[in-house]
Amino acid sequence: MRAWSALMLQRQFRAVFGTTVFAYLRECRLLRARRALEHDGVTVGQAAMVAGYTSAANFATAYKRRFGHAPKLARSRV
C-alpha cells in the first residue's frame, strides 16, 4: 500500500508542477547555490555543499547543464 501512495504522490506532483519531485528539489538546491555564489561570494566547493553535492565536479557539471555556464563565472560577477 505504501508504494502505491508514493506513486500517486509522484503523479500528482508532476501533474501540478510539471516536473518530478527530484527534479524540483535539484532545481531548488541549484538556485540556492547560485544565490550563494552571486550574492555571498562563496567558493564553488562551498556552493556544492549548499546544493547538497559531495563532489564539486559533479556540482559544476549539474550547474553548467542548468545555467549554461560554469559556477566560477557566477562567482566572478560578485
Side-chain angles (χ1 to χ4, degrees):
M1 187 70 166
R2 186 174 287 172
W4 182 82
S5 297
L7 182 60
M8 289 301 296
L9 175 63
Q10 291 171 353
R11 285 181 181 168
Q12 290 181 0
F13 187 93
R14 184 174 213 140
V16 172
F17 294 101
T19 189
T20 66
V21 174
F22 292 110
Y24 178 82
L25 290 173
R26 181 176 48 248
E27 176 73 8
C28 290
R29 291 174 179 159
L30 287 173
L31 287 171
R32 188 175 332 131
R34 183 182 192 182
R35 276 193 303 276
L37 286 164
E38 292 178 354
H39 299 292
D40 302 333
V42 300
T43 66
V44 173
Q46 290 168 328
M49 289 176 46
V50 166
Y53 286 81
T54 56
S55 164
N58 289 346
F59 165 72
T61 299
Y63 188 95
K64 186 172 182 179
R65 186 176 297 136
R66 170 58 182 91
F67 298 113
H69 57 83
K72 66 181 176 182
L73 294 179
R75 186 170 186 263
S76 66
R77 294 186 211 168
V78 173

